[in-house]
Amino acid sequence: MRGLMQDWPMLVHRLIDHAALYHQGADIVSRTVEGSIHRTGYAQIRRRAMGLARALAKRGVRPGDRVATLAWNTHRHLESWYAIAGMGAVYHTLNPRLFPDQIAWIANHGGARILLYDNCFAPIVEAIAPKLKHVEIFVAMSDEIAPLKLKKKPLTYEALIAGQGRAKRDFAWPELDENSACGLCYTSGTTGDPKGVLYSQRSNILTALLAGQSPGLNMSPMDRVLPVVPMFHANGWAIPFIAAMAGASLVLPGPRLDGASIYELLEQERVTLTTAVPTVWLNLLQYLDDNNLKLSHLRRVCIGGAAAPAAMIERFEGQYGVEVIHAWGMTEMSPIGTMSIIKPPLDKLPRARQLEIKSKQGYPHFGIEMKITDDKGRERPRDGKAVGRLKVRGPNIARAYFRGAGRHAFDSQGWFDTGDVASLDADGFMQIADRSKDVIKSGGEWISTIQIENLAVGHAAVAEAAVIGIAHPKWDERPLLVVVLRPGSVLDADAMLTHLRDRIAKWWLPDAVVFVDEIPHTATGKILKTELRRRFADFRFPR
Ligand code: ADP
């Protein structure tokens, strides 16, 4: 017998319809690419998204077609996601921090015919245009076009929308199958070629419901949310959807993500919740320190994309009274997977112990199954000690990559191998030890580079640290610690090792420490270990 409840396809346009009707009081504030502050609301976002959808439809965009965006977080980028997804097409985000060749490769693989870009990316557009195989129409997301040499003159976004005669008539969002494709985002290729993750209408709504309303984010109309994490990275952590569902205000930072600019928005726009990778927070904390500032409105900071060191969590919570939500996820998971939120009975533990638990990546919200296995696929115990390959399954997790790449990551039971090596404890907390390609294999045992890095940055003189494995005749590999010092600080290798010695197993202690001026990062702010390993390819430990 079937239930007698309504069939209401889970479609992304319903989010903006809902927010426009019921959350008109919420602000959408943007720092534009030109630098000014722009203010609008969900109803206007929806109306303009409909105008854009009409204009795109007129230019031949049909359900399933990809429309590429090369843009910072602003109201226009938000409108374009709702326009594209709403009309049944697929927003394909391009990451401007990649090399032009990589951007062109990803754009060609996605196959979009139209590219919307911020004027500040005109040089990138110019560089990639000759290599683009499918793009026929370029749209500058502004009311004017920055000078650039293209065979065909770009259109302007504002003219496109205005061309629709500011029609009072609504665009009729098509009734689609909720499993229709809706967004395309490529992993940044920290481990190999970029691979396309193709989100569906349904997976985006489920993400907003499950991750957005989970104990971690728990977003509400009282929140003013600053997503520093760009929409071009990992589905923008789904914040554009979560905020609309919750009726939260959005503060979109545009191109300026430095400590001073973020601080200005946090204070002036009374931001309550903000999300970014640790490197962004390193910069903000440094700026707060240097200028002796406090955070007056911020309640919660979500740190993810790379491990949040305990020292960073402690500074936010202890020094600034801001709760840290340490989150783990990946592009393939829409992207939020786990959040580290203290729950009973752990809330009775001493503060230092709670901090250790928070440094773990946390437990999943409903809708994510998780297990760790050995290399043969046998499940390993959830005892907080055993480490294994982390595998996940659920309605918001990719079941394949776009155009069939990376098939080996998915097994016949629907488990996706995250490429991370982790432990799971009895309270459900997952802890990432490493990416499987970064973990150091010493004498048949695994050493977690992330844990050593986190402890190293706990030293007051250390700004950033990275650990890589160096070939060793006896042990296969041994750890080398690469350190960037804070400006004006002094530290030598012995003092660094002394700091670590009491905190880790003896055989985890790095065999050498080198000091460098900077550590290379990926386009998404992670330590680029492949490059670091290349730089230290000839390094030999002193005998
Ligand atoms: P890529 O780096 O390949 O572009 P993603 O941006 O999707 O891919 O990043 C996903 C990966 O980032 C995870 O598999 C994990 O290795 C790492 N990661 C994300 N959040 C955390 C975290 N809180 N702690 C440690 N690692 C994390």
Side-chain angles (χ1 to χ4, degrees):
M1 191 190 290
R2 287 176 67 86
L4 290 174
M5 307 313 279
Q6 299 187 5
D7 192 7
W8 192 79
M10 291 198 225
L11 302 175
V12 161
H13 75 77
R14 299 194 195 282
L15 293 171
I16 197 69
D17 290 352
H18 171 83
L21 261 182
Y22 299 109
H23 297 293
Q24 292 200 38
D27 297 323
I28 310 290
V29 182
S30 310
R31 194 195 295 279
T32 64
V33 170
E34 292 75 28
S36 60
I37 296 289
H38 176 276
R39 291 174 195 279
T40 183
Y42 283 116
Q44 293 92 316
I45 295 279
R46 175 176 179 271
R47 187 151 33 77
R48 283 164 52 88
M50 286 188 158
L52 180 61
R54 206 177 287 116
L56 293 175
K58 208 168 127 195
R59 280 160 185 80
V61 175
R62 297 286 168 262
D65 288 352
R66 275 78 63 208
V67 177
T69 63
L70 185 65
W72 289 113
N73 293 3
T74 67
H75 62 292
R76 291 193 180 106
H77 202 180
L78 187 68
E79 288 160 3
S80 72
W81 273 30
Y82 278 111
I84 297 163
M87 71 191 297
V90 179
Y91 56 87
H92 176 194
T93 50
L94 299 176
N95 182 345
R97 291 173 177 155
L98 298 173
F99 292 113
D101 276 354
Q102 290 174 302
I103 303 176
W105 186 93
I106 291 172
N108 288 336
H109 198 262
R113 233 175 22 88
I114 301 191
L115 168 63
L116 311 180
Y117 68 92
D118 277 338
N119 269 332
C120 56
F121 297 132
I124 299 181
V125 173
E126 215 171 70
I128 63 175
K131 301 191 180 105
L132 296 178
K133 294 186 192 141
H134 310 285
V135 178
E136 294 159 10
I137 302 175
F138 295 88
V139 180
M141 296 179 95
S142 176
D143 39 22
E144 50 196 53
I145 302 167
L148 84 170
K149 287 193 213 78
L150 282 187
K151 281 207 186 110
K152 207 167 148 200
K153 190 167 180 242
L155 307 172
T156 66
Y157 182 94
E158 292 301 330
L160 267 191
I161 295 181
Q164 307 312 309
R166 273 197 216 109
K168 292 274 183 300
R169 233 170 4 104
D170 279 357
F171 175 84
W173 303 125
E175 276 297 315
L176 303 158
D177 175 345
E178 65 180 17
N179 285 304
S180 309
C182 142
L184 179 62
C185 186
Y186 282 68
T187 61
S188 57
T190 315
T191 54
D193 255 354
K195 295 183 270 302
V197 178
L198 191 60
Y199 305 111
S200 66
Q201 301 269 347
R202 172 186 150 91
S203 70
N204 271 336
I205 300 280
L206 283 178
T207 299
L209 272 173
L210 299 173
Q213 318 301 313
S214 68
L217 290 179
N218 190 17
M219 224 183 264
S220 88
M222 302 308 287
D223 279 312
R224 297 176 65 82
V225 185
L226 194 165
V228 184
V229 47
M231 289 166 71
F232 56 72
H233 181 220
N235 207 24
W237 291 10
I239 302 295
F241 304 128
I242 299 173
M245 180 177 280
S249 290
L250 277 173
V251 180
L252 303 170
R256 284 168 47 189
L257 310 185
D258 59 286
S261 305
I262 293 299
Y263 180 73
E264 188 182 287
L265 286 180
L266 290 175
E267 287 297 296
Q268 286 180 5
E269 299 301 331
R270 307 183 317 283
V271 170
T272 59
L273 169 65
T274 178
T275 58
V277 293
T279 39
V280 167
W281 302 131
L282 269 183
N283 291 339
L284 178 77
L285 289 169
Q286 187 66 45
Y287 179 76
L288 295 176
D289 266 6
D290 291 349
N291 297 283
N292 202 11
L293 299 167
K294 62 181 181 26
L295 293 161
S296 348
H297 307 280
L298 194 63
R299 297 276 161 274
R300 293 178 297 153
V301 56
C302 181
I303 311 180
M312 179 179 285
I313 301 178
E314 178 51 16
R315 281 179 80 195
F316 270 117
E317 298 200 337
Q319 200 173 337
Y320 295 101
V322 174
E323 185 191 351
V324 169
I325 307 159
H326 182 197
W328 165 87
M330 55 199 312
T331 310
E332 290 86 338
M333 300 178 74
S334 290
I336 301 167
T338 59
M339 284 181 255
S340 209
I341 301 293
I342 297 293
K343 54 181 180 172
L346 309 174
D347 55 340
K348 304 285 180 310
L349 293 172
R351 173 87 192 127
R353 182 72 191 106
Q354 287 191 32
L355 205 59
E356 274 173 34
I357 296 170
K358 265 209 151 160
S359 312
K360 296 189 173 194
Q361 279 68 13
Y363 47 92
H365 50 265
F366 175 75
I368 290 180
E369 290 182 66
M370 230 173 210
K371 67 175 181 182
I372 49 171
T373 73
D374 63 17
D375 283 342
K376 296 210 168 68
R378 288 174 302 215
E379 194 162 343
R380 305 219 62 201
R382 295 168 187 256
D383 60 6
K385 293 194 191 86
V387 289
R389 292 176 158 275
L390 179 62
K391 297 187 180 164
V392 292
R393 195 160 74 166
N396 298 344
I397 297 165
R399 65 180 162 82
Y401 288 111
F402 190 49
R403 300 194 200 279
R407 283 198 185 85
H408 61 274
F410 306 90
D411 76 14
S412 56
Q413 274 96 47
W415 290 99
F416 167 66
D417 187 331
T418 60
D420 284 332
V421 172
S423 63
L424 291 168
D425 70 19
D427 295 307
F429 282 72
M430 180 273 286
Q431 182 167 28
I432 301 271
D434 247 315
R435 281 221 158 169
S436 51
K437 292 197 166 67
D438 295 338
V439 74
I440 296 176
K441 294 184 178 109
S442 171
E445 297 289 343
W446 287 355
I447 297 178
S448 159
T449 62
I450 294 185
Q451 282 179 43
I452 306 177
E453 288 159 8
N454 284 349
L455 289 169
V457 296
H459 191 291
V462 176
E464 201 175 16
V467 175
I468 52 172
I470 298 285
H472 190 282
K474 181 163 173 207
W475 303 108
D476 282 344
E477 281 184 326
R478 289 294 303 156
L480 167 70
L481 172 59
V482 183
V483 174
V484 180
L485 291 179
R486 282 175 188 246
S489 297
V490 210
L491 187 75
D492 63 15
D494 281 346
M496 182 77 261
L497 292 173
T498 306
H499 169 81
L500 295 175
R501 197 164 279 120
D502 296 339
R503 297 175 167 89
I504 50 177
K506 208 168 148 207
W507 60 278
W508 277 34
L509 202 65
D511 283 23
V513 183
V514 290
F515 295 89
V516 296
D517 291 337
E518 51 104 29
I519 284 175
H521 289 103
T522 68
T524 52
K526 292 173 208 200
I527 294 174
L528 189 53
K529 296 239 170 135
T530 44
E531 167 61 15
L532 209 54
R533 280 193 285 265
R534 202 187 54 73
R535 285 190 197 171
F536 286 95
D538 298 328
F539 183 88
R540 296 287 170 270
F541 291 115
R543 283 171 185 261

